[in-house]
PDB file of all heavy atoms in Angstrom:
ATOM      1  N   ILE A  18      97.517  87.411  91.265  1.00 95.00           N
ATOM      2  CA  ILE A  18      96.625  87.157  90.141  1.00 95.00           C
ATOM      3  C   ILE A  18      97.292  86.212  89.147  1.00 95.00           C
ATOM      4  O   ILE A  18      98.455  86.392  88.771  1.00 95.00           O
ATOM      5  CB  ILE A  18      96.258  88.468  89.411  1.00 95.00           C
ATOM      6  CG1 ILE A  18      95.521  89.432  90.357  1.00 95.00           C
ATOM      7  CG2 ILE A  18      95.422  88.181  88.166  1.00 95.00           C
ATOM      8  CD1 ILE A  18      94.145  88.980  90.758  1.00 95.00           C
ATOM      9  N   SER A  19      96.527  85.214  88.704  1.00 93.00           N
ATOM     10  CA  SER A  19      96.953  84.360  87.602  1.00 93.00           C
ATOM     11  C   SER A  19      96.353  84.906  86.309  1.00 93.00           C
ATOM     12  O   SER A  19      95.148  85.134  86.244  1.00 93.00           O
ATOM     13  CB  SER A  19      96.479  82.920  87.832  1.00 93.00           C
ATOM     14  OG  SER A  19      96.716  82.136  86.683  1.00 93.00           O
ATOM     15  N   PRO A  20      97.166  85.113  85.270  1.00 90.00           N
ATOM     16  CA  PRO A  20      96.631  85.681  84.027  1.00 90.00           C
ATOM     17  C   PRO A  20      95.777  84.707  83.233  1.00 90.00           C
ATOM     18  O   PRO A  20      95.085  85.096  82.302  1.00 90.00           O
ATOM     19  CB  PRO A  20      97.895  86.062  83.247  1.00 90.00           C
ATOM     20  CG  PRO A  20      98.938  85.125  83.759  1.00 90.00           C
ATOM     21  CD  PRO A  20      98.626  84.895  85.204  1.00 90.00           C
ATOM     22  N   ASP A  21      95.830  83.415  83.582  1.00 85.00           N
ATOM     23  CA  ASP A  21      94.980  82.418  82.931  1.00 85.00           C
ATOM     24  C   ASP A  21      94.843  81.207  83.843  1.00 85.00           C
ATOM     25  O   ASP A  21      95.512  81.100  84.873  1.00 85.00           O
ATOM     26  CB  ASP A  21      95.534  82.018  81.553  1.00 85.00           C
ATOM     27  CG  ASP A  21      96.980  81.529  81.630  1.00 85.00           C
ATOM     28  OD1 ASP A  21      97.302  80.738  82.540  1.00 85.00           O
ATOM     29  OD2 ASP A  21      97.784  81.937  80.776  1.00 85.00           O
ATOM     30  N   MET A  22      93.981  80.274  83.450  1.00 83.00           N
ATOM     31  CA  MET A  22      93.723  79.096  84.280  1.00 83.00           C
ATOM     32  C   MET A  22      94.965  78.213  84.391  1.00 83.00           C
ATOM     33  O   MET A  22      95.192  77.567  85.410  1.00 83.00           O
ATOM     34  CB  MET A  22      92.550  78.286  83.702  1.00 83.00           C
ATOM     35  CG  MET A  22      91.248  79.065  83.600  1.00 83.00           C
ATOM     36  SD  MET A  22      90.656  79.753  85.168  1.00 83.00           S
ATOM     37  CE  MET A  22      90.175  78.261  86.020  1.00 83.00           C
ATOM     38  N   GLY A  23      95.778  78.174  83.332  1.00 81.00           N
ATOM     39  CA  GLY A  23      96.962  77.319  83.318  1.00 81.00           C
ATOM     40  C   GLY A  23      98.010  77.721  84.335  1.00 81.00           C
ATOM     41  O   GLY A  23      98.814  76.889  84.767  1.00 81.00           O
ATOM     42  N   ALA A  24      98.038  78.996  84.720  1.00 84.00           N
ATOM     43  CA  ALA A  24      99.043  79.489  85.668  1.00 84.00           C
ATOM     44  C   ALA A  24      98.517  79.540  87.097  1.00 84.00           C
ATOM     45  O   ALA A  24      99.182  80.075  87.982  1.00 84.00           O
ATOM     46  CB  ALA A  24      99.521  80.879  85.233  1.00 84.00           C
ATOM     47  N   MET A  25      97.338  78.969  87.323  1.00 88.00           N
ATOM     48  CA  MET A  25      96.694  79.090  88.632  1.00 88.00           C
ATOM     49  C   MET A  25      97.507  78.426  89.743  1.00 88.00           C
ATOM     50  O   MET A  25      97.615  78.962  90.856  1.00 88.00           O
ATOM     51  CB  MET A  25      95.293  78.486  88.566  1.00 88.00           C
ATOM     52  CG  MET A  25      94.455  78.742  89.802  1.00 88.00           C
ATOM     53  SD  MET A  25      94.234  80.513  90.127  1.00 88.00           S
ATOM     54  CE  MET A  25      93.348  80.480  91.662  1.00 88.00           C
ATOM     55  N   GLU A  26      98.069  77.269  89.466  1.00 87.00           N
ATOM     56  CA  GLU A  26      98.839  76.570  90.492  1.00 87.00           C
ATOM     57  C   GLU A  26     100.040  77.401  90.920  1.00 87.00           C
ATOM     58  O   GLU A  26     100.393  77.475  92.097  1.00 87.00           O
ATOM     59  CB  GLU A  26      99.295  75.206  89.960  1.00 87.00           C
ATOM     60  CG  GLU A  26      99.848  74.273  91.021  1.00 87.00           C
ATOM     61  CD  GLU A  26      98.827  73.887  92.092  1.00 87.00           C
ATOM     62  OE1 GLU A  26      97.632  73.770  91.758  1.00 87.00           O
ATOM     63  OE2 GLU A  26      99.232  73.729  93.258  1.00 87.00           O
ATOM     64  N   ARG A  27     100.664  78.061  89.954  1.00 88.00           N
ATOM     65  CA  ARG A  27     101.815  78.924  90.244  1.00 88.00           C
ATOM     66  C   ARG A  27     101.380  80.121  91.100  1.00 88.00           C
ATOM     67  O   ARG A  27     102.051  80.496  92.059  1.00 88.00           O
ATOM     68  CB  ARG A  27     102.442  79.398  88.937  1.00 88.00           C
ATOM     69  CG  ARG A  27     103.686  80.259  89.079  1.00 88.00           C
ATOM     70  CD  ARG A  27     104.252  80.605  87.721  1.00 88.00           C
ATOM     71  NE  ARG A  27     104.691  79.413  87.011  1.00 88.00           N
ATOM     72  CZ  ARG A  27     103.989  78.806  86.047  1.00 88.00           C
ATOM     73  NH1 ARG A  27     102.807  79.292  85.674  1.00 88.00           N
ATOM     74  NH2 ARG A  27     104.452  77.734  85.449  1.00 88.00           N
ATOM     75  N   ALA A  28     100.237  80.713  90.747  1.00 91.00           N
ATOM     76  CA  ALA A  28      99.724  81.858  91.502  1.00 91.00           C
ATOM     77  C   ALA A  28      99.397  81.461  92.934  1.00 91.00           C
ATOM     78  O   ALA A  28      99.668  82.213  93.883  1.00 91.00           O
ATOM     79  CB  ALA A  28      98.486  82.427  90.808  1.00 91.00           C
ATOM     80  N   ARG A  29      98.830  80.281  93.106  1.00 91.00           N
ATOM     81  CA  ARG A  29      98.510  79.800  94.457  1.00 91.00           C
ATOM     82  C   ARG A  29      99.778  79.603  95.281  1.00 91.00           C
ATOM     83  O   ARG A  29      99.777  79.843  96.494  1.00 91.00           O
ATOM     84  CB  ARG A  29      97.727  78.480  94.359  1.00 91.00           C
ATOM     85  CG  ARG A  29      96.304  78.644  93.856  1.00 91.00           C
ATOM     86  CD  ARG A  29      95.570  77.334  93.828  1.00 91.00           C
ATOM     87  NE  ARG A  29      95.437  76.774  95.173  1.00 91.00           N
ATOM     88  CZ  ARG A  29      94.886  75.593  95.427  1.00 91.00           C
ATOM     89  NH1 ARG A  29      94.410  74.853  94.446  1.00 91.00           N
ATOM     90  NH2 ARG A  29      94.791  75.151  96.669  1.00 91.00           N
ATOM     91  N   TYR A  30     100.843  79.171  94.619  1.00 88.00           N
ATOM     92  CA  TYR A  30     102.123  78.985  95.303  1.00 88.00           C
ATOM     93  C   TYR A  30     102.653  80.330  95.809  1.00 88.00           C
ATOM     94  O   TYR A  30     103.102  80.456  96.952  1.00 88.00           O
ATOM     95  CB  TYR A  30     103.113  78.321  94.356  1.00 88.00           C
ATOM     96  CG  TYR A  30     104.451  77.982  94.963  1.00 88.00           C
ATOM     97  CD1 TYR A  30     104.550  77.097  96.035  1.00 88.00           C
ATOM     98  CD2 TYR A  30     105.620  78.537  94.451  1.00 88.00           C
ATOM     99  CE1 TYR A  30     105.776  76.781  96.586  1.00 88.00           C
ATOM    100  CE2 TYR A  30     106.846  78.224  94.995  1.00 88.00           C
ATOM    101  CZ  TYR A  30     106.928  77.339  96.058  1.00 88.00           C
ATOM    102  OH  TYR A  30     108.136  77.029  96.600  1.00 88.00           O
ATOM    103  N   TYR A  31     102.589  81.357  94.951  1.00 90.00           N
ATOM    104  CA  TYR A  31     103.004  82.699  95.350  1.00 90.00           C
ATOM    105  C   TYR A  31     102.133  83.210  96.493  1.00 90.00           C
ATOM    106  O   TYR A  31     102.632  83.798  97.461  1.00 90.00           O
ATOM    107  CB  TYR A  31     102.907  83.665  94.166  1.00 90.00           C
ATOM    108  CG  TYR A  31     104.152  83.750  93.314  1.00 90.00           C
ATOM    109  CD1 TYR A  31     104.408  82.814  92.321  1.00 90.00           C
ATOM    110  CD2 TYR A  31     105.077  84.763  93.495  1.00 90.00           C
ATOM    111  CE1 TYR A  31     105.536  82.890  91.521  1.00 90.00           C
ATOM    112  CE2 TYR A  31     106.217  84.859  92.707  1.00 90.00           C
ATOM    113  CZ  TYR A  31     106.443  83.915  91.724  1.00 90.00           C
ATOM    114  OH  TYR A  31     107.571  83.995  90.963  1.00 90.00           O
ATOM    115  N   ALA A  32     100.817  83.008  96.380  1.00 90.00           N
ATOM    116  CA  ALA A  32      99.895  83.478  97.406  1.00 90.00           C
ATOM    117  C   ALA A  32     100.154  82.791  98.744  1.00 90.00           C
ATOM    118  O   ALA A  32     100.081  83.419  99.809  1.00 90.00           O
ATOM    119  CB  ALA A  32      98.455  83.235  96.957  1.00 90.00           C
ATOM    120  N   ASP A  33     100.493  81.503  98.680  1.00 87.00           N
ATOM    121  CA  ASP A  33     100.806  80.772  99.900  1.00 87.00           C
ATOM    122  C   ASP A  33     102.064  81.324 100.557  1.00 87.00           C
ATOM    123  O   ASP A  33     102.138  81.472 101.780  1.00 87.00           O
ATOM    124  CB  ASP A  33     100.982  79.284  99.581  1.00 87.00           C
ATOM    125  CG  ASP A  33     101.354  78.467 100.805  1.00 87.00           C
ATOM    126  OD1 ASP A  33     100.578  78.472 101.781  1.00 87.00           O
ATOM    127  OD2 ASP A  33     102.422  77.828 100.799  1.00 87.00           O
ATOM    128  N   MET A  34     103.062  81.656  99.733  1.00 85.00           N
ATOM    129  CA  MET A  34     104.312  82.227 100.257  1.00 85.00           C
ATOM    130  C   MET A  34     104.044  83.569 100.933  1.00 85.00           C
ATOM    131  O   MET A  34     104.643  83.895 101.962  1.00 85.00           O
ATOM    132  CB  MET A  34     105.321  82.431  99.122  1.00 85.00           C
ATOM    133  CG  MET A  34     105.791  81.154  98.463  1.00 85.00           C
ATOM    134  SD  MET A  34     107.155  80.379  99.346  1.00 85.00           S
ATOM    135  CE  MET A  34     108.527  81.322  98.723  1.00 85.00           C
ATOM    136  N   LEU A  35     103.127  84.356 100.358  1.00 87.00           N
ATOM    137  CA  LEU A  35     102.854  85.701 100.862  1.00 87.00           C
ATOM    138  C   LEU A  35     101.711  85.735 101.879  1.00 87.00           C
ATOM    139  O   LEU A  35     101.504  86.757 102.539  1.00 87.00           O
ATOM    140  CB  LEU A  35     102.509  86.623  99.695  1.00 87.00           C
ATOM    141  CG  LEU A  35     103.651  86.935  98.722  1.00 87.00           C
ATOM    142  CD1 LEU A  35     103.105  87.563  97.446  1.00 87.00           C
ATOM    143  CD2 LEU A  35     104.688  87.831  99.367  1.00 87.00           C
ATOM    144  N   GLY A  36     100.959  84.641 101.974  1.00 87.00           N
ATOM    145  CA  GLY A  36      99.835  84.604 102.899  1.00 87.00           C
ATOM    146  C   GLY A  36      98.718  85.542 102.499  1.00 87.00           C
ATOM    147  O   GLY A  36      98.181  86.290 103.331  1.00 87.00           O
ATOM    148  N   CYS A  37      98.368  85.540 101.202  1.00 91.00           N
ATOM    149  CA  CYS A  37      97.320  86.453 100.727  1.00 91.00           C
ATOM    150  C   CYS A  37      96.347  85.719  99.812  1.00 91.00           C
ATOM    151  O   CYS A  37      96.516  84.537  99.512  1.00 91.00           O
ATOM    152  CB  CYS A  37      97.941  87.651 100.012  1.00 91.00           C
ATOM    153  SG  CYS A  37      98.789  87.233  98.474  1.00 91.00           S
ATOM    154  N   ASP A  38      95.322  86.445  99.344  1.00 94.00           N
ATOM    155  CA  ASP A  38      94.280  85.879  98.493  1.00 94.00           C
ATOM    156  C   ASP A  38      94.787  85.778  97.049  1.00 94.00           C
ATOM    157  O   ASP A  38      95.821  86.349  96.688  1.00 94.00           O
ATOM    158  CB  ASP A  38      93.025  86.747  98.561  1.00 94.00           C
ATOM    159  CG  ASP A  38      91.760  85.958  98.246  1.00 94.00           C
ATOM    160  OD1 ASP A  38      91.872  84.827  97.736  1.00 94.00           O
ATOM    161  OD2 ASP A  38      90.659  86.485  98.505  1.00 94.00           O
ATOM    162  N   VAL A  39      94.024  85.059  96.215  1.00 94.00           N
ATOM    163  CA  VAL A  39      94.419  84.849  94.823  1.00 94.00           C
ATOM    164  C   VAL A  39      93.202  85.015  93.913  1.00 94.00           C
ATOM    165  O   VAL A  39      92.083  84.704  94.306  1.00 94.00           O
ATOM    166  CB  VAL A  39      95.061  83.447  94.644  1.00 94.00           C
ATOM    167  CG1 VAL A  39      94.050  82.345  94.926  1.00 94.00           C
ATOM    168  CG2 VAL A  39      95.659  83.270  93.254  1.00 94.00           C
ATOM    169  N   GLY A  40      93.448  85.543  92.708  1.00 94.00           N
ATOM    170  CA  GLY A  40      92.405  85.679  91.695  1.00 94.00           C
ATOM    171  C   GLY A  40      92.905  85.151  90.369  1.00 94.00           C
ATOM    172  O   GLY A  40      94.102  84.875  90.206  1.00 94.00           O
ATOM    173  N   VAL A  41      92.002  85.015  89.394  1.00 93.00           N
ATOM    174  CA  VAL A  41      92.395  84.446  88.106  1.00 93.00           C
ATOM    175  C   VAL A  41      91.586  85.066  86.974  1.00 93.00           C
ATOM    176  O   VAL A  41      90.430  85.460  87.157  1.00 93.00           O
ATOM    177  CB  VAL A  41      92.206  82.907  88.116  1.00 93.00           C
ATOM    178  CG1 VAL A  41      90.734  82.536  88.317  1.00 93.00           C
ATOM    179  CG2 VAL A  41      92.754  82.265  86.846  1.00 93.00           C
ATOM    180  N   PHE A  42      92.213  85.167  85.808  1.00 89.00           N
ATOM    181  CA  PHE A  42      91.530  85.591  84.587  1.00 89.00           C
ATOM    182  C   PHE A  42      91.305  84.370  83.700  1.00 89.00           C
ATOM    183  O   PHE A  42      92.181  83.514  83.568  1.00 89.00           O
ATOM    184  CB  PHE A  42      92.361  86.627  83.821  1.00 89.00           C
ATOM    185  CG  PHE A  42      92.217  88.017  84.347  1.00 89.00           C
ATOM    186  CD1 PHE A  42      93.040  88.474  85.371  1.00 89.00           C
ATOM    187  CD2 PHE A  42      91.272  88.877  83.829  1.00 89.00           C
ATOM    188  CE1 PHE A  42      92.914  89.761  85.865  1.00 89.00           C
ATOM    189  CE2 PHE A  42      91.135  90.175  84.316  1.00 89.00           C
ATOM    190  CZ  PHE A  42      91.958  90.621  85.333  1.00 89.00           C
ATOM    191  N   TYR A  43      90.127  84.302  83.124  1.00 83.00           N
ATOM    192  CA  TYR A  43      89.826  83.261  82.152  1.00 83.00           C
ATOM    193  C   TYR A  43      89.951  83.876  80.763  1.00 83.00           C
ATOM    194  O   TYR A  43      89.306  84.879  80.456  1.00 83.00           O
ATOM    195  CB  TYR A  43      88.421  82.700  82.360  1.00 83.00           C
ATOM    196  CG  TYR A  43      87.955  81.788  81.247  1.00 83.00           C
ATOM    197  CD1 TYR A  43      88.539  80.529  81.067  1.00 83.00           C
ATOM    198  CD2 TYR A  43      86.955  82.190  80.362  1.00 83.00           C
ATOM    199  CE1 TYR A  43      88.134  79.701  80.046  1.00 83.00           C
ATOM    200  CE2 TYR A  43      86.534  81.356  79.332  1.00 83.00           C
ATOM    201  CZ  TYR A  43      87.134  80.113  79.179  1.00 83.00           C
ATOM    202  OH  TYR A  43      86.735  79.295  78.152  1.00 83.00           O
TER     203      TYR A  43
END
């Protein structure tokens, strides 16, 4: 989970490393 839109790229990087889905809070 990304706590905001600005951290989304970082969250996607973690999700890619773990091979899982990603969500975000606005």
Side-chain angles (χ1 to χ4, degrees):
I18 299 291
S19 171
D21 55 44
M22 301 302 290
M25 189 59 184
E26 192 63 34
R27 182 177 297 101
R29 288 182 63 183
Y30 184 61
Y31 271 83
D33 178 59
M34 295 276 278
L35 292 166
C37 66
D38 206 347
V39 64
V41 62
F42 278 88
Y43 170 69

